[in-house]
Amino acid sequence: MAIKWRNRALPGVALALLASGCVGTPDAGSGPSAAPSTSGARSPVAKVCAQPQAGPAKAPAGAVTVDPAVVGDLAAKTRSSPPNTTFWLRPGTHRLDPDRYAQVVPKQGNRYLGAPGAVLDGQQKNQYAFSGTARDVTIRRLTVQGFVAPHDEGVVNHDSADGWVIEHATIQRNSGAGLMAGARQRVRASCLRGNGQYGMNAYKDGGRISGLVVEGNEIVGNNTGDWERRREGCGCTGGVKFWAVDGADVRGNWVHDNRGTGLWADTNNNDFRIEDNVLEANDGAALIYETSYNAVIRTNTIRRNNWVEGRRYADRGDSFPFATVYLSESGGEPRVRARTDKIEVYRNLLENNWSGITLWENADRFCNSPANTSSGDCTLLVKSTGRCARPAIAEAPLYADCRWKTQRVDIHANRFVLDKSVVECTAKCDRMAVLANYGTYPDWSPYQGERVAEAITLGQHNRWHDNVYLGPWTFVAHDPGRVLDFGQWQGAPYRQDAGSTLDPRAGG
């Protein structure tokens, strides 16, 4: 379900299908920041990996003790114990039987608690650590490492069971995703570090995830496998990737030094609150919100992101405003129930990133279009993809409801700081944008020409206002070739950033 920056080019511009892939340098992520950039940060930083919280030195009353000297002891004792059992893993390295499917299969309500120094190691032999469909499982103060989950699969909660709690855990150096997610999952104060594809893949086969909480975690150095380079345009990486999540609170996390995007919500997500995070030094965008609905993005500190990927496209001569916060075919929709009916981006600090915020809509991407990279999916307003066909798609209500729209986006009270000497750029790293491409495809599309570009720019209630700009910012409206200065951006017909200020010399 790779994101496409655009599908068909504007007249006179070569056709390009650009994916927002992870294209970091070969050793990117191998040397993550030792400490966060706290100057000006709005919230405490979750320095979890360097300061893990130790588990109890003695077994809790009634707990089953697991011996690291006995290979397979954890899985065997899980099988022989009833639901709602607490297991205490003694200090040391615990191993499963040397079969790739020798994982632990919890029972409902089981709790797994690590002593100081307790590690569950897959030794590059076992694919999964914890799997199965049991609900309300807890994993606390345990290190899980060395598992080799296949591409798109996860090591902890492999089957996306509901109600799991992962707290004060370290999930590191695994292939695939460190963990998957189910409904009502809580991931708190954990270190998701150096995993091959994702720190967490919030995906549930055949269903939506609701009530997800991701709080106070350090999410660092993931996508060591550099999957976007290996499968160009796969859209299959990130510090955390969210798919069809209905209700998520993502707060107080330190998301940094990931190869590619920090946080990426892709395809029919809804009702997100992304707040009080520090997102920094990710190779690609800090945040992508794609073909999704209704979100609040507030009080985040976002700095030094997108230097690798933004520079790569600029060096190719690409004119697209490759953004650090990228809202693609996503907007507020009152008909989709959520805690808000718009996308509101406010009180964030964006400092020395490669460009700022881009609002984008691909005119050729809609339900039933061959250009829809979320193939088989339709909007939350149309249940059957097949309905989005001619002649009905050309009339109300399907003309509006068959496409994901970037609409009702309110960007205000943010502080945008750019010092080009810090970013080490001269051009194309200074842009704020709202645009679409020229619709051409397929031949039966009712969105051909400039219809979508006119709508996203002037007709869909997308608004910047009351922001502060420090540094030499430029602005892009309608299409990549329409680059504006601040006065043109504020003037007719765009009338953006009322009440905002710009000091082009103050960024550095």
Side-chain angles (χ1 to χ4, degrees):
M1 297 184 184
I3 192 169
K4 300 294 184 185
W5 295 112
R6 57 181 181 269
N7 189 32
R8 293 285 171 169
L10 294 160
V13 180
L15 171 64
L17 295 174
L18 295 180
S20 66
C22 304
V23 288
T25 54
D27 59 351
S30 62
S33 303
S37 301
T38 55
S39 175
R42 311 293 182 84
S43 55
V45 176
K47 296 185 286 187
V48 179
C49 295
Q51 302 170 5
Q53 188 176 110
K58 295 182 179 180
V64 173
T65 297
V66 181
D67 187 351
V70 179
V71 174
D73 198 37
L74 180 60
K77 286 178 175 174
T78 295
R79 287 192 297 269
S80 62
S81 300
N84 300 303
T85 297
T86 296
F87 300 88
W88 179 70
L89 283 74
R90 294 178 59 190
T93 299
H94 297 253
R95 298 174 177 83
L96 304 175
D97 289 332
D99 179 275
R100 62 177 178 167
Y101 299 122
Q103 67 266 19
V104 180
V105 183
K107 298 174 183 175
Q108 183 171 336
N110 280 2
R111 294 171 295 278
Y112 297 89
L113 183 62
V119 176
L120 180 60
D121 196 321
Q123 302 181 88
Q124 306 300 312
K125 297 177 181 178
N126 309 116
Q127 290 192 171
Y128 318 119
F130 296 92
S131 70
T133 59
R135 300 189 305 275
D136 304 326
V137 172
T138 297
I139 298 171
R140 188 174 284 132
R141 298 185 177 90
L142 179 65
T143 294
V144 179
Q145 64 186 34
F147 288 82
V148 286
H151 186 259
D152 290 337
E153 298 186 38
V155 168
V156 175
N157 197 9
H158 169 264
D159 297 294
S160 301
D162 295 340
W164 283 41
V165 175
I166 295 93
E167 288 184 330
H168 301 290
T170 296
I171 302 174
Q172 64 182 8
R173 299 195 293 274
N174 303 287
S175 300
L179 69 153
M180 304 296 285
R184 298 178 288 102
Q185 182 157 301
R186 305 288 187 267
V187 184
R188 293 192 176 106
S190 292
C191 172
L192 310 181
R193 174 171 58 189
N195 295 289
Q197 188 179 358
Y198 305 104
M200 182 173 76
N201 185 13
Y203 172 79
K204 190 178 182 72
D205 188 22
R208 291 175 66 77
I209 295 170
S210 60
L212 178 63
V213 174
V214 182
E215 180 177 22
N217 305 285
E218 184 174 350
I219 302 163
V220 52
N222 295 290
N223 187 29
T224 60
D226 202 7
W227 279 99
E228 298 286 350
R229 188 183 295 274
R230 294 165 67 179
R231 298 186 182 181
E232 185 175 358
C234 72
C236 61
T237 57
V240 180
K241 191 79 182 277
F242 304 89
W243 313 83
V245 174
D246 188 12
D249 291 286
V250 183
R251 58 180 175 248
N253 303 285
W254 183 22
V255 184
H256 67 104
D257 293 281
N258 294 285
R259 175 181 274 139
T261 302
L263 302 174
W264 188 346
D266 184 357
T267 310
N268 286 338
N269 296 278
N270 174 53
D271 195 16
F272 272 52
R273 287 188 176 175
I274 302 169
E275 55 192 357
D276 297 326
N277 302 285
V278 176
L279 311 175
E280 65 179 342
N282 297 289
D283 280 6
L287 170 64
I288 297 176
Y289 204 69
E290 178 187 0
T291 54
S292 295
Y293 301 88
N294 301 324
V296 173
I297 302 166
R298 63 187 176 194
T299 57
N300 300 287
T301 299
I302 303 171
R303 51 163 59 99
R304 296 188 294 108
N305 296 282
N306 203 26
W307 288 12
V308 173
E309 294 187 8
R311 194 183 317 277
R312 176 175 181 259
Y313 286 111
D315 289 347
R316 287 180 173 182
D318 198 290
S319 62
F320 189 86
F322 193 82
T324 285
V325 175
Y326 185 56
L327 305 181
S328 174
E329 291 104 359
S330 293
E333 177 50 75
R335 291 174 292 172
V336 177
R337 186 175 179 180
R339 291 167 287 183
T340 182
D341 62 1
K342 58 185 177 180
I343 292 182
E344 190 171 14
V345 184
Y346 69 99
R347 292 175 55 199
N348 301 285
L349 169 64
L350 283 81
E351 182 177 28
N352 291 328
N353 302 286
W354 190 281
S355 288
I357 299 174
T358 287
L359 309 189
W360 162 253
E361 207 169 312
N362 183 344
D364 299 329
R365 185 181 189 183
F366 54 91
C367 301
N368 215 22
S369 168
N372 177 20
T373 53
S374 297
S375 55
D377 287 291
C378 198
T379 70
L380 294 180
L381 303 174
V382 179
K383 300 300 182 184
S384 173
T385 301
R387 293 180 61 205
C388 296
R390 59 182 175 186
I393 193 174
E395 305 292 337
L398 293 181
Y399 180 83
D401 292 352
C402 286
R403 64 176 304 108
W404 294 272
K405 292 191 290 186
T406 304
Q407 63 177 7
R408 298 171 60 84
V409 179
D410 187 0
I411 301 168
H412 65 97
N414 301 286
R415 185 177 180 89
F416 300 105
V417 181
L418 177 63
D419 183 342
K420 287 187 174 181
S421 69
V422 172
V423 183
E424 296 183 352
C425 70
T426 57
K428 297 183 181 179
C429 64
D430 55 0
R431 294 172 293 178
M432 203 74 56
V434 53
L435 76 165
N437 58 330
Y438 190 91
T440 63
Y441 181 78
D443 59 6
W444 52 269
S445 168
Y447 311 110
Q448 294 187 22
E450 297 185 357
R451 292 177 178 88
V452 174
E454 291 291 324
I456 188 176
T457 306
L458 302 175
Q460 292 179 180
H461 307 287
N462 298 314
R463 183 176 178 230
W464 279 257
H465 63 98
D466 298 297
N467 298 295
V468 173
Y469 295 91
L470 304 177
W473 289 93
T474 60
F475 304 85
V476 180
H478 188 275
D479 62 74
R482 200 170 297 186
V483 181
L484 313 172
D485 62 27
F486 193 50
Q488 293 169 320
W489 175 249
Q490 288 187 309
Y494 311 109
R495 302 193 186 281
Q496 292 291 357
D497 265 316
S500 298
T501 61
L502 181 145
D503 184 343
R505 295 165 297 185

